[in-house]
Amino acid sequence: MPPEGAEAHFRALESLYAVAPINRLFESRLEIPSAGVSRIHFAIDERHFHAAGAAHGTSYFKMLDDAAFYAANSLVTDRFLLTTQFSLLLTRPLGQGPVTAEGRWISGQRRVFVAEARLVDDEGEEVARGTGTFMRSRIPLATLPGYRTA
């Protein structure tokens, strides 16, 4: 039996994430276990490194923004959200290996949403965190390639 209601929305968002062209450059997998929560599983390798041999800030931003974004968009079933602001705190260099971005909705349920995310390395250590604001767009989710609820 296909998922219904919130579960269908979560699976459709996971599908939408999977088909985004940017994810051809950043191999990763989105998981939305419940409303307001997301996890992105990612593997850092040398393609993501800056000249000093650790992950470049673009990788941190990508994972944190996506995790916070999908945590927030899991609460919105009709429209695509847009990032309007995002703040990062990078606490440790990130080398090769698996990383998980954990997103969590904080507040907002109408036009503007606030969500946060943290990056956790394969030893369970937090290496970065971020907080963002996200606004409803005029883009219906149902019109986006990959967003399928049935």
Side-chain angles (χ1 to χ4, degrees), residues 8-16 19 76-78 140-150:
H9 175 57
F10 301 160
R11 301 301 78 83
L13 287 174
E14 291 167 355
S15 176
L16 180 66
V19 302
V76 179
T77 59
D78 61 338
L141 283 167
T143 66
L144 298 175
Y147 185 86
R148 293 180 300 277
T149 56

Side-chain angles (χ1 to χ4, degrees), residues 50-141:
H50 53 55
H56 189 276
T58 56
S59 298
Y60 289 85
F61 174 76
K62 162 84 168 85
M63 291 183 285
L64 291 167
D65 176 56
D66 282 354
F69 166 87
Y70 280 96
N73 220 144
S74 72
L75 302 171
V76 179
T77 59
D78 61 338
R79 300 287 173 183
F80 187 76
L81 298 181
L82 299 173
T83 304
T84 58
Q85 182 277 333
F86 205 87
S87 298
L88 298 174
L89 174 62
L90 311 178
T91 55
R92 292 183 51 210
L94 192 52
Q96 288 193 106
V99 182
T100 302
E102 302 170 341
R104 184 175 71 89
W105 167 77
I106 296 173
S107 67
Q109 292 190 18
R110 291 182 180 247
R111 184 166 162 77
V112 176
F113 296 76
V114 177
E116 67 181 7
R118 67 187 205 121
L119 284 185
V120 179
D121 67 15
D122 61 341
E123 296 177 1
E125 293 292 322
E126 182 178 295
V127 298
R129 67 175 40 243
T131 303
T133 57
F134 306 90
M135 182 177 71
R136 285 180 188 268
S137 74
R138 294 184 180 148
I139 304 165
L141 283 167

